[in-house]
Amino acid sequence: KQEVTQIPAALSVPEGENLVLNCSFTDSAIYNLQWFRQDPGKGLTSLLLIQSSQREQTSGRLNASLDKSSGRSTLYIAASQPGDSATYLCAVDMDSSYKLIFGSGTRLLVRP
Amino acid sequence: GAGVSQSPRYKVAKRGQDVALRCDPISGHVSLFWYQQALGQGPEFLTYFQNEAQLDKSGLPSDRFFAERPEGSVSTLKIQRTQQEDSAVYLCASSLNSDDYTFGSGTRLTVV
């Protein structure tokens, strides 16, 4: 059974710092992996989607990498801003089946 | 509408009460999903519809949970005889294809 783990559970950094969020999964036979952002009381917003054949994806200050063989993905946020404060969730799709398996998330606080 | 709309935003139910949660997906989105998110956890898959057909209900925790999408658009998640462990945020998502999910803001259910 696929298990997705995110470390750390919470992170507090000063504004301007570069940071890395980690996601690991136990079964490397994934179809794709997504990173989502969740603001309090809001739904999930998709940030980056990495197909299993890809190694990384970039969007603005965000860069996500995928190492299928080691069962790991990282989300790199450059020059963090207070507006980046949110919970970041990673989710894997095993077979393009629609059923996402989520980690528990990392709660990020960027202090002004 | 522009996004996925869920109602009510908040619901307090007495233990044993039946509840109905509504999801209005993006117009034209064939696929609709329900997830349950307990406090401090990532969302967990409940059920999936393609048009009006419920193709997977393997995530529904018990036979007290029932979902329908009779005309292939609006969906309702019904929970009978609610229990305290049903307290969670219930998220609905819709998509045109399997990689592109739009989540609603969720319904926060509190069973007292």
Side-chain angles (χ1 to χ4, degrees):
Chain A
K1 178 188 170 189
Q2 176 72 275
E3 291 184 5
V4 181
T5 303
Q6 290 188 247
I7 293 173
L11 183 62
S12 178
V13 301
E15 182 177 4
E17 197 161 291
N18 302 325
L19 57 100
V20 174
L21 307 182
N22 297 292
C23 172
S24 62
F25 44 94
T26 54
D27 184 344
S28 63
I30 64 171
Y31 177 71
N32 64 38
L33 182 145
Q34 285 194 65
W35 283 93
F36 291 88
R37 170 185 172 137
Q38 186 172 34
D39 293 282
K42 301 281 181 67
L44 280 66
T45 301
S46 181
L47 298 173
L48 290 164
L49 168 70
I50 312 177
Q51 300 291 350
S52 61
S53 58
Q54 297 175 319
R55 300 282 286 185
E56 65 178 336
Q57 283 285 344
T58 298
S59 176
R61 295 182 293 109
L62 305 180
N63 175 276
S65 68
L66 174 64
D67 184 343
K68 264 186 57 174
S69 60
S70 66
R72 293 204 282 194
S73 176
T74 61
L75 179 66
Y76 175 83
I77 303 177
S80 59
Q81 302 171 358
D84 294 331
S85 298
T87 295
Y88 291 81
L89 295 151
C90 72
V92 300
D93 181 350
M94 297 303 294
D95 52 8
S96 184
S97 66
Y98 56 78
K99 190 184 300 186
L100 298 179
I101 303 170
F102 285 86
S104 295
T106 294
R107 289 191 320 278
L108 173 65
L109 174 65
V110 181
R111 307 186 304 271
Chain B
V4 176
S5 178
Q6 292 189 246
S7 60
R9 288 297 312 277
Y10 305 94
K11 176 70 179 178
V12 178
K14 291 185 178 178
R15 195 168 52 186
Q17 187 179 354
D18 296 349
V19 298
L21 312 180
R22 178 187 169 105
C23 173
D24 273 279
I26 292 175
S27 178
H29 277 195
V30 168
S31 300
L32 185 144
F33 316 82
W34 284 98
Y35 284 81
Q36 179 191 57
Q37 186 174 24
L39 189 64
Q41 301 297 314
E44 292 194 359
F45 171 82
L46 293 177
T47 187
Y48 161 62
F49 290 87
Q50 190 169 87
N51 296 307
E52 68 278 5
Q54 188 175 22
L55 298 186
D56 188 339
K57 56 181 181 180
S58 63
L60 296 176
S62 75
D63 59 8
R64 297 186 295 103
F65 286 71
F66 172 76
E68 60 183 4
R69 193 186 185 197
E71 297 178 0
S73 56
V74 170
S75 177
T76 304
L77 176 66
K78 298 179 179 177
I79 309 173
Q80 297 177 323
R81 305 181 303 281
T82 53
Q83 301 176 4
Q84 279 196 312
E85 61 261 32
D86 299 335
S87 295
V89 175
Y90 290 85
L91 294 166
C92 176
S94 68
S95 78
L96 201 51
N97 60 54
S98 62
D99 292 345
D100 184 17
Y101 301 87
T102 302
F103 279 82
S105 297
T107 293
R108 180 178 297 279
L109 173 66
T110 303
V111 181
V112 298

